[in-house]
């Protein structure tokens, strides 16, 4: 019976596609329960001041400790969370947990939290953020919300007023993965962002002595500074990249060379010890 109804579908039946779909559906079901069962955890990657080597703060990155699949990375479930609407409660949990941890560390750290498009456009994100700040006692000025250009892609008055609403709370806003989207430059002018995060793909090619790659990154750093933003380089994996960025006056850096994202306990220990590779 189902076969008749779905004849067209079965004509192009592809076992690999079927597996992928089944996996997605089962992950979607599991994800709903994951939130209730405390299977989500945050790892924290330090943001290091490139001039002083000090840890300025952390970025919270969500992971899912799946009971049978093990650690599931965010790129494998954020999309599912977005399409099922689960991103709203999930995003709220991430915000609250990251702020709670930042306050618990008892230092004037910044905490960066990723916000996805769907989370930005669904409901009242500013109200949620205000609630979380009040609940956790996190000072607004130490929370930084990271958004990709896709959030700003729909350059509507509605999105602009959402941004203005968030800014009014006193939180910082960062443009994540800068340089990978479209018409980046126009957005910089229109949206009041505080931080510009240079995408890993640009950092990747640094330190190999290619003058054009260097010029490109140097230009992004200047551009950010010209618009009054702090610049953060993502994905620093070696010394050469770090010193090149330091030389360009890039403010902050993140990457495996400095530290991988760590569970809260280890991130706390790093706060005490400092980042070994960071000494200027
Ligand atoms: P992102 O915000 O651009 O985060 C940076 C990603 O690069 C992280 O991957 C991080 O582990 C990885 N990374 C950091 N340093 C290096 C390095 O030196 N080399 C390389 N190759 N990679 C590095 P992760 O944790 O898998 O997160 C991937 C993406 O998932 C994030 O990209 C972000 O867009 C999204 N994401 C993570 N957590 C959340 C969350 O709580 N909410 C939402 N909406 N999205 C999240
Ligand atoms: Mg990010
Ligand atoms: Mg990024």
């Amino acid at each position: 019976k189902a076969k008749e109804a779905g004849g067209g579908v079965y004509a192009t039946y592809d076992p690999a596609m079927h597996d992928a779909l089944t996996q997605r559906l089962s992950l979607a079901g599991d994800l709903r329960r994951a939130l209730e069962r405390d299977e989500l955890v945050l790892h924290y990657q330090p943001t290091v001041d490139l001039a002083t080597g000090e840890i300025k703060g952390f970025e919270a990155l969500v992971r899912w400790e799946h009971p049978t699949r093990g650690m599931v990375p965010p790129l494998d479930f954020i999309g599912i969370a977005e399409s099922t609407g689960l991103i709203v409660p999930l995003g709220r949990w991430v915000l609250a947990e990251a702020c709670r941890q930042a306050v618990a560390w008892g230092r004037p750290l910044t905490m960066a939290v990723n916000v996805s498009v769907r989370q930005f456009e669904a409901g009242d994100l500013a109200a949620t953020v205000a609630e979380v700040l009040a609940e956790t006692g996190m000072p607004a000025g130490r929370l930084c919300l990271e958004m990709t250009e896709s959030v700003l892609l729909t350059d509507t008055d509605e999105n602009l007023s959402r941004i203005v609403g968030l800014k009014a709370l006193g939180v910082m806003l960062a443009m994540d993965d800068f340089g990978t989207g479209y018409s980046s430059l126009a957005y910089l002018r229109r949206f009041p962002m505080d931080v510009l995060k240079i995408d890993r793909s640009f950092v990747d090619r640094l330190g190999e002595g290619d003058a054009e790659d260097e010029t490109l990154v140097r230009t992004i750093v200047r551009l950010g500074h010209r618009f009054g933003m702090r610049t953060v380089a993502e994905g620093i994996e070696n010394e050469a990249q770090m010193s090149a960025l330091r030389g360009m006056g890039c403010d902050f850096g993140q990457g495996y060379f400095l530290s991988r994202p760590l569970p809260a306990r280890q991130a706390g220990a790093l706060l005490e010890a400092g980042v070994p590779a960071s000494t200027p």
Side-chain angles (χ1 to χ4, degrees):
K1 205 172 119 225
K3 200 167 181 177
E4 284 160 31
V9 175
Y10 281 79
T12 54
Y13 178 79
D14 169 356
M17 220 157 102
H18 180 262
D19 287 354
L21 183 65
T22 317
Q23 170 138 344
R24 255 182 95 81
L25 287 174
S26 106
L27 270 182
D30 291 356
L31 188 56
R32 199 162 289 123
R33 290 184 292 270
L35 264 171
E36 294 148 21
R37 294 183 188 170
D38 287 337
E39 290 169 11
L40 299 178
V41 285
L42 295 184
H43 283 192
Y44 300 92
Q45 186 176 40
T47 302
V48 173
D49 184 325
L50 290 177
T52 65
E54 277 161 26
I55 297 177
K56 186 218 36 170
F58 291 93
E59 175 175 4
L61 295 156
V62 72
R63 273 99 184 86
W64 178 7
E65 284 173 346
H66 192 284
T68 57
R69 286 173 213 260
M71 197 68 99
V72 186
L75 293 179
D76 290 358
F77 64 90
I78 291 294
I80 297 174
E82 289 209 73
S83 57
T84 53
L86 281 169
I87 193 69
V88 174
L90 187 154
R92 192 193 199 284
W93 178 84
V94 170
L95 262 172
E97 179 60 15
C99 289
R100 189 199 60 72
Q101 183 58 254
V103 171
W105 274 322
R107 299 191 188 206
L109 297 164
T110 61
M111 182 58 77
V113 174
N114 294 285
V115 172
S116 74
V117 195
R118 184 67 198 278
Q119 199 185 344
F120 177 76
E121 289 181 342
D124 192 344
L125 182 61
T128 303
V129 171
E131 274 168 33
V132 166
L133 293 173
E135 270 168 35
T136 59
M138 176 75 168
R142 291 211 250 122
L143 177 64
C144 182
L145 302 178
E146 298 193 356
M147 307 180 218
T148 60
E149 287 161 283
S150 54
V151 161
L152 310 176
L153 238 149
T154 31
D155 186 356
T156 56
D157 289 341
E158 203 180 1
N159 279 354
L160 183 59
S161 73
R162 286 193 170 104
I163 296 271
V164 171
L166 288 168
K167 281 302 299 170
L169 297 174
V171 301
M172 291 182 285
L173 300 179
M175 185 174 283
D176 207 349
D177 307 338
F178 180 77
T180 56
Y182 302 99
S183 330
S184 325
L185 302 181
Y187 297 132
L188 288 188
R189 222 172 94 66
R190 188 155 151 85
F191 295 104
M193 309 299 270
D194 305 278
V195 176
L196 189 155
K197 297 192 76 172
I198 305 166
D199 190 67
R200 174 152 56 87
S201 56
F202 299 105
V203 174
D204 228 19
R205 302 208 297 266
L206 278 183
E208 287 169 13
D210 185 305
E212 287 177 353
D213 286 339
E214 299 241 338
T215 302
L216 188 59
V217 179
R218 193 183 296 279
T219 305
I220 300 177
V221 171
R222 284 215 187 119
L223 181 75
H225 289 163
R226 277 289 281 124
F227 281 87
M229 291 180 280
R230 300 304 209 89
T231 50
V232 180
E234 304 187 284
I236 301 177
E237 292 186 352
N238 58 54
E239 173 93 62
Q241 292 165 349
M242 189 173 66
S243 42
L245 287 157
R246 190 179 276 145
M248 293 171 189
C250 181
D251 302 292
F252 303 102
Q254 277 182 290
Y256 295 166
F257 183 67
L258 294 159
S259 168
R260 289 192 173 250
L262 302 168
R265 269 175 59 105
Q266 284 163 255
L270 198 70
L271 264 182
E272 301 296 326
V275 175
S278 66
T279 19

